[in-house]
Amino acid sequence: MASPCDSLSLYATCNSADPDERRAGLRTLAAFLYPVARYRLNTSQYDDFAVQECTQSALIAIHQQLQNQKGPDAPQSFCAWAARIAINKCLDRIRHDQRHRTEPLEQIAEAPSSNEILPQHIVELNETRAELLLSIQQHAALSDDSKTTLIQGYFWEKTDQEIADMLAKKAANVRLIRHRNLEKLRNDDDFCTQLGKMTYL
């Protein structure tokens, strides 16, 4: 069961002009959304990292929607609106995993490395996706492994094991890298402001 959620107060804090107050609101919202995501993701298939990743991804999307003034119809419905976004992120993860379990690997297009994004691949992305991809690639606080994990996973839909093979790491390490960096990006006000100008998530 999700923890109780006060839509009015949480809506106010997540929209606050004070960065510290806004981050505190997002932490409270994360505590509400985590059990929502945990309920949607089967415990036999998805570990805690996967649930946290979906929660973090939902928080970034929520922040972007609020920045674009595309939040809920009324502040009173903020928690229900946020929960629907988290559920959709979980469904996206499930669909992604099901697709990769049924597609032969040879049918998956070869993706470029995170440090060498080829022009023809950028052309295949819409403008906002390309802008977001490049902002991650050029982010000063992200290591090369972090960029590879985020770009290959979210843009080229590589599995954790495929990314782990690229990095010569274990799949569990890839999940840890992704979780830590999603949280890092969520707490980066400059990145979130830039993200708020986009329509990708």
Side-chain angles (χ1 to χ4, degrees):
M1 290 290 293
S3 58
C5 183
D6 183 342
S7 285
L8 288 175
S9 63
L10 200 50
Y11 180 79
T13 54
C14 288
N15 272 302
S16 175
D18 183 334
D20 290 336
E21 186 173 321
R22 187 169 62 247
R23 280 192 285 268
L26 289 171
R27 284 194 296 270
T28 301
L29 183 59
F32 166 69
L33 294 179
Y34 175 86
V36 173
R38 175 72 281 177
Y39 178 77
R40 288 285 170 173
L41 297 176
N42 190 312
T43 55
S44 65
Q45 293 179 275
Y46 296 97
D47 59 14
D48 186 63
F49 279 127
V51 179
Q52 291 186 47
E53 287 164 13
C54 286
T55 302
Q56 294 288 350
S57 183
L59 289 170
I60 292 173
I62 289 165
H63 179 82
Q64 182 215 0
Q65 296 278 18
L66 293 176
Q67 290 286 300
N68 284 334
Q69 298 183 338
K70 295 180 180 178
D73 292 335
Q76 294 91 333
S77 62
F78 177 68
C79 291
W81 173 79
R84 283 196 299 273
I85 291 177
I87 290 169
N88 286 336
K89 292 296 180 183
C90 292
L91 294 175
D92 287 344
R93 175 63 182 267
I94 293 169
R95 283 192 290 265
H96 170 271
D97 291 348
Q98 288 175 339
R99 186 164 63 248
H100 278 274
R101 280 196 293 270
T102 56
E103 276 186 6
L105 288 179
E106 60 269 19
Q107 291 182 10
I108 299 175
E110 184 70 21
S113 70
S114 65
N115 296 318
E116 186 182 356
I117 305 301
L118 302 178
Q120 61 265 32
H121 285 85
I122 290 183
V123 170
E124 292 171 3
L125 300 173
N126 62 44
E127 184 177 345
T128 55
R129 281 173 58 89
E131 185 178 354
L132 180 56
L133 184 152
L134 291 173
S135 70
I136 292 173
Q137 186 188 24
Q138 296 167 2
H139 200 291
L142 299 179
S143 67
D144 287 344
D145 285 356
S146 298
K147 293 173 183 177
T148 296
T149 298
L150 294 174
I151 290 173
Q152 296 292 341
Y154 288 110
F155 290 91
W156 309 120
E157 298 189 341
K158 291 291 187 180
T159 65
D160 288 347
Q161 189 57 58
E162 289 173 312
I163 297 171
D165 292 341
M166 290 179 183
L167 300 177
K169 297 180 182 295
K170 295 180 179 179
N173 294 126
V174 169
R175 291 194 291 272
L176 180 60
I177 291 171
R178 183 167 53 246
H179 167 67
R180 287 177 173 172
N181 284 283
L182 282 173
E183 187 169 13
K184 184 184 295 184
L185 291 177
R186 177 170 63 84
N187 290 318
D188 182 335
D189 287 334
D190 290 339
F191 179 84
C192 287
T193 297
Q194 181 182 9
L195 187 64
K197 299 174 183 178
M198 303 176 187
T199 57
Y200 170 61
L201 290 176

